[in-house]
Amino acid sequence: MTAPQPPRIAPLEPARIRDLVARQFPDAEQLLTAAGLDGRPILNVLATLAADPTLLAALFPLLDRLGRGTLPDRDRETVVLRVAWRTRSAYEWAHHARFADELGLTGEDRARIAEGPDADGHTDRTRTLLRAVDELHRDAALGDDTWRALGDSWTEPQILELLTLVGLYTLVAYVLNSCRVPLDSWLPDPEPLP
């Protein structure tokens, strides 16, 4: 395994983030709390995005909305893990493997997610989600068969949420990978990207 490369944009210190965000967005307590400024360690992804506080404040409501969206939690984490694998985002994978574990997705489940929609052992529902992620990454659109399969299990608002989830976590992976955001040092035993 190669040594991690230094970040291209260093994550800002929590005090600097608090000052920047509080000055520009006086009603941003939810953002400050999520950024770890309520006593929890700050996420390096948010500390990196804080180099542009306006961008961080614009992205945060969508990240928050998708985290509390209408897709079942297990479906959401399956999608994010597949995006992390497709984009080779070790940071996204490490964090979302933890969330997935809390939802009962085992190491075997995560290995199958990395293997893709044709791996043995997937439910039809999971296979459809993985196929949707792969088609979006490959074609920037869902195929007719996948669209119909999604329509059998999800509402139109949920399908829109799924499309947005894939797009947003792909965007976040671009930032993580390009800026070389370091994995948070407080993360216990991060699961490596398969």
Side-chain angles (χ1 to χ4, degrees), residues 119-156:
D120 291 336
H122 288 306
T123 64
D124 288 341
R125 182 180 185 92
T126 299
R127 197 175 307 283
T128 298
L129 288 170
L130 298 177
R131 194 163 284 122
V133 173
D134 286 2
E135 288 176 7
L136 289 168
H137 275 266
R138 185 185 61 240
D139 304 325
L142 295 176
D144 291 338
D145 291 342
T146 302
W147 184 269
R148 276 190 294 277
L150 286 170
D152 290 342
S153 298
W154 292 275
T155 65
E156 287 180 352

Short mmCIF file of all heavy atoms in Angstrom, two decimals, residues 119-156:
data_model
loop_
_atom_site.label_atom_id
_atom_site.label_comp_id
_atom_site.label_asym_id
_atom_site.label_seq_id
_atom_site.Cartn_x
_atom_site.Cartn_y
_atom_site.Cartn_z
N ALA A 119 -23.23 -9.67 -8.93
CA ALA A 119 -22.68 -10.58 -7.91
C ALA A 119 -23.80 -11.45 -7.34
O ALA A 119 -24.95 -11.03 -7.23
CB ALA A 119 -22.04 -9.77 -6.79
N ASP A 120 -23.44 -12.68 -7.02
CA ASP A 120 -24.40 -13.59 -6.39
C ASP A 120 -24.78 -13.06 -5.01
O ASP A 120 -23.95 -12.49 -4.30
CB ASP A 120 -23.79 -14.98 -6.23
CG ASP A 120 -23.60 -15.69 -7.57
OD1 ASP A 120 -24.32 -15.34 -8.53
OD2 ASP A 120 -22.72 -16.57 -7.64
N GLY A 121 -26.04 -13.29 -4.63
CA GLY A 121 -26.48 -12.98 -3.28
C GLY A 121 -27.24 -11.69 -3.11
O GLY A 121 -27.77 -11.43 -2.03
N HIS A 122 -27.32 -10.85 -4.16
CA HIS A 122 -28.09 -9.62 -4.04
C HIS A 122 -29.59 -9.91 -4.14
O HIS A 122 -30.00 -10.79 -4.90
CB HIS A 122 -27.75 -8.64 -5.17
CG HIS A 122 -26.42 -7.99 -5.05
ND1 HIS A 122 -26.01 -7.31 -3.93
CD2 HIS A 122 -25.40 -7.89 -5.95
CE1 HIS A 122 -24.79 -6.83 -4.13
NE2 HIS A 122 -24.39 -7.17 -5.34
N THR A 123 -30.37 -9.12 -3.43
CA THR A 123 -31.82 -9.13 -3.66
C THR A 123 -32.08 -8.38 -4.97
O THR A 123 -31.21 -7.63 -5.45
CB THR A 123 -32.57 -8.42 -2.52
OG1 THR A 123 -32.19 -7.04 -2.51
CG2 THR A 123 -32.28 -9.06 -1.16
N ASP A 124 -33.25 -8.56 -5.52
CA ASP A 124 -33.61 -7.81 -6.74
C ASP A 124 -33.55 -6.31 -6.48
O ASP A 124 -33.12 -5.54 -7.33
CB ASP A 124 -35.00 -8.20 -7.24
CG ASP A 124 -35.04 -9.59 -7.84
OD1 ASP A 124 -33.96 -10.13 -8.21
OD2 ASP A 124 -36.15 -10.16 -7.96
N ARG A 125 -33.97 -5.91 -5.29
CA ARG A 125 -33.98 -4.48 -4.91
C ARG A 125 -32.56 -3.92 -4.93
O ARG A 125 -32.30 -2.87 -5.51
CB ARG A 125 -34.62 -4.35 -3.53
CG ARG A 125 -34.73 -2.94 -3.02
CD ARG A 125 -35.39 -2.95 -1.63
NE ARG A 125 -35.62 -1.63 -1.15
CZ ARG A 125 -36.74 -0.95 -1.33
NH1 ARG A 125 -37.74 -1.49 -1.99
NH2 ARG A 125 -36.88 0.27 -0.86
N THR A 126 -31.62 -4.61 -4.30
CA THR A 126 -30.22 -4.16 -4.26
C THR A 126 -29.62 -4.16 -5.65
O THR A 126 -28.93 -3.23 -6.04
CB THR A 126 -29.40 -5.03 -3.30
OG1 THR A 126 -29.95 -4.90 -1.98
CG2 THR A 126 -27.95 -4.61 -3.27
N ARG A 127 -29.90 -5.20 -6.41
CA ARG A 127 -29.38 -5.30 -7.78
C ARG A 127 -29.84 -4.09 -8.61
O ARG A 127 -29.06 -3.50 -9.37
CB ARG A 127 -29.88 -6.61 -8.40
CG ARG A 127 -29.14 -7.07 -9.61
CD ARG A 127 -29.61 -8.44 -10.09
NE ARG A 127 -29.60 -9.49 -9.08
CZ ARG A 127 -28.52 -10.12 -8.65
NH1 ARG A 127 -27.35 -9.83 -9.13
NH2 ARG A 127 -28.61 -11.08 -7.74
N THR A 128 -31.09 -3.68 -8.44
CA THR A 128 -31.62 -2.52 -9.17
C THR A 128 -30.90 -1.25 -8.75
O THR A 128 -30.53 -0.42 -9.60
CB THR A 128 -33.14 -2.39 -8.94
OG1 THR A 128 -33.79 -3.57 -9.44
CG2 THR A 128 -33.71 -1.17 -9.63
N LEU A 129 -30.68 -1.06 -7.45
CA LEU A 129 -29.97 0.13 -6.97
C LEU A 129 -28.56 0.19 -7.54
O LEU A 129 -28.10 1.24 -8.01
CB LEU A 129 -29.90 0.13 -5.44
CG LEU A 129 -31.20 0.42 -4.70
CD1 LEU A 129 -31.03 0.15 -3.22
CD2 LEU A 129 -31.66 1.84 -4.95
N LEU A 130 -27.85 -0.93 -7.50
CA LEU A 130 -26.48 -0.95 -8.00
C LEU A 130 -26.43 -0.71 -9.51
O LEU A 130 -25.56 0.00 -10.01
CB LEU A 130 -25.81 -2.28 -7.65
CG LEU A 130 -25.68 -2.59 -6.15
CD1 LEU A 130 -25.09 -3.96 -5.95
CD2 LEU A 130 -24.89 -1.52 -5.44
N ARG A 131 -27.38 -1.29 -10.21
CA ARG A 131 -27.45 -1.07 -11.66
C ARG A 131 -27.71 0.42 -11.95
O ARG A 131 -27.14 0.99 -12.88
CB ARG A 131 -28.54 -1.96 -12.27
CG ARG A 131 -28.45 -2.05 -13.77
CD ARG A 131 -29.24 -3.22 -14.33
NE ARG A 131 -28.50 -4.47 -14.10
CZ ARG A 131 -28.96 -5.50 -13.44
NH1 ARG A 131 -30.16 -5.51 -12.94
NH2 ARG A 131 -28.21 -6.58 -13.28
N ALA A 132 -28.57 1.05 -11.15
CA ALA A 132 -28.85 2.47 -11.33
C ALA A 132 -27.57 3.30 -11.17
O ALA A 132 -27.29 4.18 -11.99
CB ALA A 132 -29.93 2.93 -10.35
N VAL A 133 -26.81 3.03 -10.12
CA VAL A 133 -25.56 3.77 -9.91
C VAL A 133 -24.61 3.56 -11.08
O VAL A 133 -24.05 4.52 -11.62
CB VAL A 133 -24.87 3.36 -8.58
CG1 VAL A 133 -23.49 4.01 -8.46
CG2 VAL A 133 -25.74 3.70 -7.39
N ASP A 134 -24.46 2.32 -11.51
CA ASP A 134 -23.54 2.03 -12.61
C ASP A 134 -23.97 2.70 -13.91
O ASP A 134 -23.14 3.26 -14.64
CB ASP A 134 -23.41 0.52 -12.81
CG ASP A 134 -22.60 -0.16 -11.71
OD1 ASP A 134 -22.15 0.53 -10.76
OD2 ASP A 134 -22.41 -1.39 -11.80
N GLU A 135 -25.26 2.68 -14.20
CA GLU A 135 -25.74 3.32 -15.43
C GLU A 135 -25.53 4.83 -15.37
O GLU A 135 -25.14 5.44 -16.38
CB GLU A 135 -27.21 2.99 -15.66
CG GLU A 135 -27.43 1.56 -16.08
CD GLU A 135 -28.90 1.17 -16.23
OE1 GLU A 135 -29.78 2.07 -16.13
OE2 GLU A 135 -29.17 -0.02 -16.43
N LEU A 136 -25.79 5.43 -14.23
CA LEU A 136 -25.58 6.87 -14.11
C LEU A 136 -24.11 7.23 -14.30
O LEU A 136 -23.78 8.22 -14.95
CB LEU A 136 -26.10 7.38 -12.77
CG LEU A 136 -27.63 7.40 -12.65
CD1 LEU A 136 -28.05 7.63 -11.20
CD2 LEU A 136 -28.24 8.44 -13.58
N HIS A 137 -23.23 6.43 -13.74
CA HIS A 137 -21.79 6.70 -13.91
C HIS A 137 -21.33 6.46 -15.34
O HIS A 137 -20.50 7.19 -15.85
CB HIS A 137 -20.96 5.88 -12.92
CG HIS A 137 -20.83 6.54 -11.60
ND1 HIS A 137 -19.79 7.35 -11.26
CD2 HIS A 137 -21.68 6.55 -10.54
CE1 HIS A 137 -19.98 7.83 -10.05
NE2 HIS A 137 -21.12 7.36 -9.59
N ARG A 138 -21.88 5.46 -15.97
CA ARG A 138 -21.44 5.13 -17.33
C ARG A 138 -22.11 6.00 -18.39
O ARG A 138 -21.45 6.48 -19.32
CB ARG A 138 -21.74 3.65 -17.61
CG ARG A 138 -21.23 3.15 -18.95
CD ARG A 138 -21.65 1.71 -19.25
NE ARG A 138 -23.10 1.60 -19.29
CZ ARG A 138 -23.84 0.82 -18.49
NH1 ARG A 138 -23.26 0.05 -17.59
NH2 ARG A 138 -25.15 0.78 -18.59
N ASP A 139 -23.44 6.21 -18.25
CA ASP A 139 -24.21 6.85 -19.32
C ASP A 139 -24.81 8.20 -18.95
O ASP A 139 -25.43 8.84 -19.80
CB ASP A 139 -25.38 5.93 -19.73
CG ASP A 139 -24.91 4.54 -20.14
OD1 ASP A 139 -23.81 4.43 -20.73
OD2 ASP A 139 -25.63 3.57 -19.85
N ALA A 140 -24.71 8.60 -17.70
CA ALA A 140 -25.33 9.82 -17.19
C ALA A 140 -26.85 9.78 -17.34
O ALA A 140 -27.50 10.82 -17.40
CB ALA A 140 -24.74 11.07 -17.85
N ALA A 141 -27.42 8.58 -17.40
CA ALA A 141 -28.87 8.40 -17.48
C ALA A 141 -29.21 6.95 -17.12
O ALA A 141 -28.38 6.06 -17.28
CB ALA A 141 -29.37 8.70 -18.89
N LEU A 142 -30.43 6.77 -16.65
CA LEU A 142 -30.91 5.42 -16.37
C LEU A 142 -31.49 4.82 -17.65
O LEU A 142 -32.15 5.50 -18.42
CB LEU A 142 -32.02 5.45 -15.31
CG LEU A 142 -31.61 5.91 -13.91
CD1 LEU A 142 -32.85 5.98 -13.03
CD2 LEU A 142 -30.57 4.98 -13.32
N GLY A 143 -31.26 3.53 -17.84
CA GLY A 143 -31.87 2.81 -18.94
C GLY A 143 -33.34 2.54 -18.65
O GLY A 143 -33.79 2.61 -17.50
N ASP A 144 -34.09 2.21 -19.69
CA ASP A 144 -35.53 1.97 -19.53
C ASP A 144 -35.83 0.82 -18.57
O ASP A 144 -36.75 0.92 -17.75
CB ASP A 144 -36.17 1.67 -20.90
CG ASP A 144 -36.19 2.89 -21.80
OD1 ASP A 144 -36.12 4.03 -21.29
OD2 ASP A 144 -36.28 2.71 -23.03
N ASP A 145 -35.08 -0.26 -18.64
CA ASP A 145 -35.34 -1.41 -17.76
C ASP A 145 -35.12 -1.03 -16.29
O ASP A 145 -35.91 -1.41 -15.42
CB ASP A 145 -34.45 -2.60 -18.12
CG ASP A 145 -34.83 -3.23 -19.47
OD1 ASP A 145 -35.96 -2.97 -19.96
OD2 ASP A 145 -33.99 -3.96 -20.03
N THR A 146 -34.05 -0.29 -16.03
CA THR A 146 -33.77 0.13 -14.65
C THR A 146 -34.82 1.11 -14.18
O THR A 146 -35.28 1.03 -13.03
CB THR A 146 -32.35 0.73 -14.56
OG1 THR A 146 -31.41 -0.26 -15.00
CG2 THR A 146 -32.01 1.15 -13.14
N TRP A 147 -35.24 2.01 -15.04
CA TRP A 147 -36.29 2.98 -14.67
C TRP A 147 -37.56 2.24 -14.28
O TRP A 147 -38.19 2.53 -13.26
CB TRP A 147 -36.56 3.95 -15.82
CG TRP A 147 -37.55 5.00 -15.45
CD1 TRP A 147 -38.91 4.94 -15.63
CD2 TRP A 147 -37.29 6.24 -14.80
NE1 TRP A 147 -39.50 6.08 -15.13
CE2 TRP A 147 -38.52 6.89 -14.62
CE3 TRP A 147 -36.12 6.86 -14.37
CZ2 TRP A 147 -38.63 8.14 -14.03
CZ3 TRP A 147 -36.23 8.12 -13.78
CH2 TRP A 147 -37.47 8.73 -13.61
N ARG A 148 -37.95 1.26 -15.08
CA ARG A 148 -39.16 0.48 -14.78
C ARG A 148 -39.00 -0.28 -13.46
O ARG A 148 -39.92 -0.32 -12.64
CB ARG A 148 -39.48 -0.49 -15.92
CG ARG A 148 -40.26 0.14 -17.07
CD ARG A 148 -40.77 -0.90 -18.05
NE ARG A 148 -39.69 -1.56 -18.78
CZ ARG A 148 -39.10 -1.05 -19.85
NH1 ARG A 148 -39.48 0.11 -20.34
NH2 ARG A 148 -38.12 -1.72 -20.45
N ALA A 149 -37.84 -0.89 -13.27
CA ALA A 149 -37.60 -1.65 -12.03
C ALA A 149 -37.65 -0.73 -10.81
O ALA A 149 -38.21 -1.10 -9.77
CB ALA A 149 -36.26 -2.37 -12.10
N LEU A 150 -37.10 0.47 -10.92
CA LEU A 150 -37.18 1.42 -9.80
C LEU A 150 -38.63 1.80 -9.54
O LEU A 150 -39.06 1.89 -8.39
CB LEU A 150 -36.35 2.67 -10.10
CG LEU A 150 -34.84 2.52 -10.01
CD1 LEU A 150 -34.15 3.76 -10.57
CD2 LEU A 150 -34.39 2.25 -8.58
N GLY A 151 -39.40 2.01 -10.62
CA GLY A 151 -40.80 2.39 -10.48
C GLY A 151 -41.64 1.33 -9.79
O GLY A 151 -42.69 1.64 -9.22
N ASP A 152 -41.19 0.07 -9.81
CA ASP A 152 -41.91 -1.00 -9.13
C ASP A 152 -41.79 -0.92 -7.61
O ASP A 152 -42.64 -1.45 -6.89
CB ASP A 152 -41.41 -2.37 -9.60
CG ASP A 152 -41.80 -2.68 -11.03
OD1 ASP A 152 -42.73 -2.02 -11.57
OD2 ASP A 152 -41.16 -3.58 -11.63
N SER A 153 -40.72 -0.30 -7.11
CA SER A 153 -40.47 -0.28 -5.67
C SER A 153 -40.42 1.11 -5.05
O SER A 153 -40.55 1.26 -3.85
CB SER A 153 -39.14 -0.98 -5.35
OG SER A 153 -39.18 -2.32 -5.74
N TRP A 154 -40.16 2.13 -5.85
CA TRP A 154 -39.98 3.47 -5.32
C TRP A 154 -40.94 4.44 -5.98
O TRP A 154 -41.31 4.29 -7.14
CB TRP A 154 -38.53 3.93 -5.56
CG TRP A 154 -37.52 3.18 -4.75
CD1 TRP A 154 -37.13 3.43 -3.47
CD2 TRP A 154 -36.77 2.03 -5.16
NE1 TRP A 154 -36.19 2.51 -3.06
CE2 TRP A 154 -35.95 1.64 -4.08
CE3 TRP A 154 -36.71 1.28 -6.34
CZ2 TRP A 154 -35.09 0.55 -4.13
CZ3 TRP A 154 -35.86 0.19 -6.40
CH2 TRP A 154 -35.06 -0.15 -5.30
N THR A 155 -41.28 5.48 -5.24
CA THR A 155 -42.14 6.55 -5.76
C THR A 155 -41.31 7.48 -6.64
O THR A 155 -40.07 7.45 -6.60
CB THR A 155 -42.74 7.37 -4.61
OG1 THR A 155 -41.67 8.04 -3.91
CG2 THR A 155 -43.53 6.49 -3.64
N GLU A 156 -41.99 8.32 -7.42
CA GLU A 156 -41.26 9.28 -8.24
C GLU A 156 -40.37 10.19 -7.40
O GLU A 156 -39.21 10.43 -7.75
CB GLU A 156 -42.22 10.09 -9.12
CG GLU A 156 -42.80 9.26 -10.25
CD GLU A 156 -43.77 10.02 -11.13
OE1 GLU A 156 -44.14 11.17 -10.79
OE2 GLU A 156 -44.16 9.46 -12.17
#
